[in-house]
Amino acid sequence: MDAQSKENLSVIKYPNKILRAKTLPVEKITEEIFSLADRMIKTMLKYDGVGLAASQVGKLYRIFVINTVPLDEKPKPITVLNPEIIDKEGSLQEEEGCLSFPSLYLKIQRAEKVRVQMQNLYNEKLILEVEGLLARAVIHEIDHLNGILFIDYVEESEKEKLNNYLKVIATQKAG
Ligand code: CO
């Protein structure tokens, strides 16, 4: 294993343009992909995230990880490669956050249930069927892989909150 594959990952924050990049399918599950998935899981858990997409750590592959149990339980993370949404059902508005937007929470409308075609790290094709918070996380992460961010769905009533947040991060960057 080379030095790069042991390196810690840092989470890229908005407004870094990498977050708007589209990712490419994983064609072959190499040692690099295994290592990346492992480090993404460690990074997600370190920051108490529910999910993390590869583009958030600067790797433009169609990979995301999610923790499938609540934060106060022993983590059960999974790695999802090449996800494609097959269908969605229902609609629910809940507060949502993102590791690329520290301390920003917005009410976002998402499907209640989602069915996704995916591959795991062992090159098996599976159907992932989830609902509630997990469905929300899965849709959020798939959006990341397409360069879409949760702020893109901001409700009219929360635009001011978002604009204030963006002003603050612009000031921090300048400072
Ligand atoms: Co996110």
Side-chain angles (χ1 to χ4, degrees), residues 1 8 16-17 20-21 24 28 32 34 36 40 67 73 80 84 99 103 112 131 133 137 152 154 165:
M1 193 174 279
N8 283 327
N16 191 312
K17 286 190 174 67
R20 290 296 187 186
L24 292 169
K28 193 160 179 263
E32 185 205 350
F34 257 99
L36 173 62
M40 282 172 64
N67 184 10
E73 290 177 26
V80 175
E84 295 296 338
L99 292 179
S103 66
E112 263 183 287
E131 55 181 81
L133 176 66
D152 301 346
V154 67
Y165 179 86

Side-chain angles (χ1 to χ4, degrees), residues 51 56 97-100 140-141 144:
Q56 289 180 281
C98 178
L99 292 179
S100 295
H140 177 118
E141 301 313 328
H144 269 300

Side-chain angles (χ1 to χ4, degrees), residues 114-151:
V114 68
R115 227 149 50 97
V116 173
Q117 187 184 297
M118 60 163 279
Q119 272 168 270
N120 64 14
L121 282 172
Y122 305 95
N123 207 17
E124 295 167 312
K125 284 206 167 122
L126 304 167
I127 302 286
L128 177 68
E129 207 169 341
V130 283
E131 55 181 81
L133 176 66
L134 276 184
R136 177 169 297 276
V138 164
I139 300 166
H140 177 118
E141 301 313 328
I142 293 175
D143 271 351
H144 269 300
L145 302 180
N146 297 321
I148 299 167
L149 301 171
F150 78 138
I151 57 169

Side-chain angles (χ1 to χ4, degrees), residues 11 19 23 40 51-59 61 63-65 100 140-145:
V11 179
L19 296 173
T23 53
M40 282 172 64
L52 184 68
S55 44
Q56 289 180 281
V57 295
K59 308 284 182 189
Y61 293 117
I63 304 178
F64 71 81
V65 295
S100 295
H140 177 118
E141 301 313 328
I142 293 175
D143 271 351
H144 269 300
L145 302 180

